[in-house]
Amino acid sequence: MTNAITLKHRISLVLLAMLFTAFSYFYLDADIALFVQHQLHRSSVLEHVVAKIPDLLLYLVLIITALSWSGYFLLRRRVVYGRDVQFLRACGTVVPLAFLAKAVLQYVFGRFNPHTWMFYHLPARFYWFGAIAGYGCFPSGHMTVFTALLSTLAHYYPRYRGIVLVLLFLLALALIATNYHFLSDVVAGAVLGAVVAFVINDKKLFRKSADERA
């Protein structure tokens, strides 16, 4: 019964987040992006720094995935089991899956990032299956991957949930404050990352083996 209630709560939160994403898409995104751009434009140095921020997400995904699986196999070779091993295995799975999921959806929705939108004076809307320069904004890849990663951390180590929430809030704020993403991109990325983490961690796709339960 508890699990069913928990699942209902999670589904309700996802639906509410999706509704807010739609509301932000139609009524908030453009105004927030323009406000942020106005603030950045007041400092030429800050505007230049923000424009030069590199996209290192793919490299981070590869590093985190490699380290997670390396740690997992190292501990297994040493006949070490338990929560740490399960966490490493989950991280090594959830991070690349989150990256793949966001890549597929970014191609499907084909939305431009705020910088491209303002530079070309384009409507802040979806350009379905638009694999052209500047697309790949919805959902936010950074928010998707790190929500999945940190949600996995919170799942296996509940005492860090408060820290996880703070880190995700700061990441979301940074993505919006640098005009790296629209608000709806960030919310959608958080939802997608949480769903990926839930599927991997709570649906028992990685059940304990007999020796791990011992």
Side-chain angles (χ1 to χ4, degrees):
M1 185 66 178
T2 303
N3 290 336
I5 294 174
T6 301
L7 179 59
K8 288 181 180 179
H9 287 169
R10 292 182 178 182
I11 293 175
S12 298
L13 287 174
V14 169
L15 291 177
L16 286 174
M18 291 174 65
L19 287 174
F20 180 76
T21 300
F23 178 80
S24 177
Y25 173 82
F26 287 108
Y27 300 108
L28 300 177
D29 284 0
D31 290 338
I32 292 176
L34 288 172
F35 172 78
V36 170
Q37 183 61 26
H38 176 71
Q39 300 305 313
L40 292 175
H41 191 65
R42 297 172 65 178
S43 172
S44 58
V45 175
L46 183 59
E47 187 177 29
H48 177 75
V49 170
V50 169
K52 295 299 182 181
I53 296 177
D55 186 0
L56 303 176
L57 183 59
L58 175 59
Y59 302 104
L60 291 174
V61 167
L62 293 174
I63 291 171
I64 293 171
T65 303
L67 290 177
S68 297
W69 283 111
S70 297
Y72 168 76
F73 286 116
L74 178 62
L75 291 178
R76 288 301 302 267
R77 286 191 62 182
R78 295 180 178 179
V79 199
V80 176
Y81 303 105
R83 182 172 58 178
D84 294 341
V85 175
Q86 297 170 40
F87 169 68
L88 289 171
R89 181 171 56 183
C91 283
T93 305
V94 77
V95 169
L97 281 182
F99 184 85
L100 178 62
K102 75 90 185 174
V104 172
L105 290 180
Q106 284 181 349
Y107 170 72
V108 171
F109 288 103
R111 193 183 197 186
F112 290 101
N113 60 53
H115 294 294
T116 304
W117 164 66
M118 283 182 281
F119 185 82
Y120 291 105
H121 304 285
L122 298 167
R125 64 176 180 82
F126 297 142
Y127 294 84
W128 301 96
F129 302 98
I132 52 182
Y135 93 103
C137 182
F138 184 95
S140 165
H142 291 79
M143 204 67 200
T144 300
V145 169
F146 285 102
T147 298
L149 174 62
L150 293 175
S151 295
T152 300
L153 174 66
H155 176 78
Y156 285 96
Y157 306 95
R159 65 180 180 272
Y160 295 127
R161 284 176 180 172
I163 297 176
V164 164
L165 289 175
V166 171
L167 290 175
L168 289 177
F169 174 78
L170 292 176
L171 175 60
L173 188 62
L175 291 171
I176 297 170
T178 56
N179 250 348
Y180 211 80
H181 281 287
F182 293 104
L183 173 59
S184 62
D185 306 335
V186 173
V187 177
V191 172
L192 178 59
V195 169
V196 172
F198 171 71
V199 169
I200 296 299
N201 298 318
D202 289 6
K203 288 302 182 181
K204 310 297 184 185
L205 294 185
F206 296 104
R207 297 183 182 276
K208 294 180 181 179
S209 59
D211 50 1
E212 288 180 74
R213 291 195 298 266

